Amino acid sequence: MAEIAANLKLIYNKISHAATKRTSEHRYYEPRLVAVSKLHSAELIVSAYEAGQRHFGENYVNELMEKTSNQLILEKCKEIKWHFIGSLQRNKVTKILTVPNLYIIETVNSDKLANALNNSWPRFRKSDDSKLNIMVQVNTSGEKEKHGCDITEVLTLVKHIINNCDNLKFVGLMTIGMYGYDTANGPNPDFLCLIKCREKINDELGIDIKNIELSMGMSTDYEQAIELGSTSVRIGTAIFGNRPQKNTLKEEKN
Ligand SMILES: *Cc1c(COP(=O)(O)O)cnc(C)c1O
């Protein structure tokens, strides 16, 4: 547990240091750390929270529901901000929108999913004019098993969200990117691709770059992502250590 605080401290320092290496045009914000707690216990989340961490990321709707109704988390993590970063099926939309402290859904990848979120949000929001924060997930590597929208569809999807989804707030773009890219080969092409997508949105839709976040970078490559302009890095392993297998966690709970 003390280890988590130490890991976080190291990562905060590395993030700050990487942020100083950005070009001047990218220096208008402090990058955010999202602690990816999927498959880790409520106790570990509490220790990260007590070490000052507020933003947490989860991939599975059911697991997120369990965690947000966990007594320990309810008691000790009142200001927690949940990021949903897993693939979201439309039939789970009404479920996920009940999550208290849901901060953002980073994985909107189709107009159908955007519409479903847009139509359901008024039933769940606490104040009449609050919008649901969303990011558009882009499949920058073009790998079939990845869930984001195709790079050729990003502009259309963002346009649809802005023009037709009044209850959603378009916050930015997210990518997972190819696993195991060796940064010795130069800047990660997935990161460069996401930056290009943002430029295109800026050109074509006139949205200021500063109002389009980039969620990119994980445990092994977050420093490089920040140097290139990432505004939000999603880090699991470097904070919490290796994840337990999905079924192991289930057994522990029984
Ligand atoms: C699991 C996961 C992460 C964190 O990965 P680590 O390598 O453990 O830092 C980040 N983003 C997404 C979408 C994930 O599923």
Side-chain angles (χ1 to χ4, degrees):
M1 305 269 171
E3 210 177 309
I4 287 187
N7 290 346
L8 276 170
K9 197 168 170 202
L10 185 73
I11 293 168
Y12 292 142
N13 284 338
K14 286 188 173 178
I15 288 176
S16 302
H17 183 66
T20 64
K21 296 200 204 159
R22 295 175 294 183
T23 58
S24 55
E25 60 181 319
H26 287 301
R27 292 208 191 136
Y28 55 88
Y29 57 85
E30 287 304 311
R32 175 200 303 118
L33 169 61
V34 177
V36 178
S37 47
K38 62 171 181 251
L39 303 177
H40 288 296
S41 66
E43 285 78 8
L44 295 193
I45 292 174
V46 171
S47 32
Y49 186 93
E50 288 180 340
Q53 182 60 27
R54 290 295 174 268
H55 290 264
F56 289 78
E58 288 284 339
N59 288 58
Y60 309 105
V61 176
N62 290 342
E63 186 180 347
L64 177 59
M65 305 294 292
E66 274 176 40
K67 283 177 173 163
T68 56
S69 55
N70 177 283
Q71 215 41 47
L72 201 60
I73 292 179
L74 283 173
E75 256 166 52
K76 305 213 163 176
C77 310
K78 299 215 189 294
E79 315 260 283
I80 199 164
K81 295 177 167 72
W82 293 108
H83 292 232
F84 188 74
I85 59 171
S87 102
L88 180 60
Q89 286 159 338
R90 263 182 292 152
N91 61 11
K92 296 268 177 72
V93 158
T94 50
K95 205 167 177 189
I96 199 170
L97 294 182
T98 64
V99 165
N101 298 332
L102 179 65
Y103 180 74
I104 191 167
I105 293 176
E106 297 199 10
T107 48
V108 174
N109 59 1
S110 71
D111 50 358
K112 286 181 181 147
L113 180 57
N115 292 344
L117 291 165
N118 184 58
N119 293 337
S120 298
W121 182 234
R123 277 194 276 147
F124 298 95
R125 63 183 164 197
K126 303 217 173 66
S127 64
D128 279 352
D129 51 358
S130 94
K131 295 191 182 212
L132 177 68
N133 289 329
I134 60 103
M135 286 189 192
V136 166
Q137 182 182 358
V138 186
N139 185 355
T140 51
S141 61
E143 293 163 285
K144 277 203 187 67
E145 68 276 13
K146 295 276 166 63
H147 284 285
C149 80
D150 196 273
I151 44 178
T152 58
E153 297 163 353
V154 181
L155 197 62
T156 317
L157 179 53
V158 172
K159 210 172 176 174
H160 171 75
I161 291 168
I162 288 171
N163 291 338
N164 307 317
C165 299
D166 278 352
N167 302 319
L168 305 184
K169 178 166 196 260
F170 169 69
V171 170
L173 303 173
M174 178 268 207
T175 185
I176 297 181
M178 202 177 285
Y179 292 114
Y181 177 78
D182 184 356
T183 51
N185 297 326
N188 188 323
D190 288 300
F191 300 163
L192 297 179
C193 177
L194 204 67
I195 292 166
K196 271 253 164 65
C197 292
R198 176 167 72 170
E199 278 166 13
K200 205 163 157 195
I201 293 169
N202 170 251
D203 283 348
E204 308 262 337
L205 305 180
I207 306 175
D208 191 339
I209 296 269
K210 293 191 171 88
N211 294 326
I212 309 173
E213 285 208 33
L214 297 177
S215 171
M216 58 188 198
M218 318 206 297
S219 287
T220 54
D221 54 15
Y222 66 93
E223 288 164 279
Q224 195 196 46
I226 287 172
E227 282 179 42
L228 291 174
S230 170
T231 67
S232 194
V233 290
R234 311 177 308 266
I235 302 181
T237 312
I239 300 171
F240 298 108
N242 288 329
R243 279 181 282 279
Q245 297 289 315
K246 228 182 158 183
N247 52 355
T248 325
L249 189 81
K250 265 208 186 102
E251 274 160 26
E252 278 170 9
K253 279 196 184 133
N254 289 336

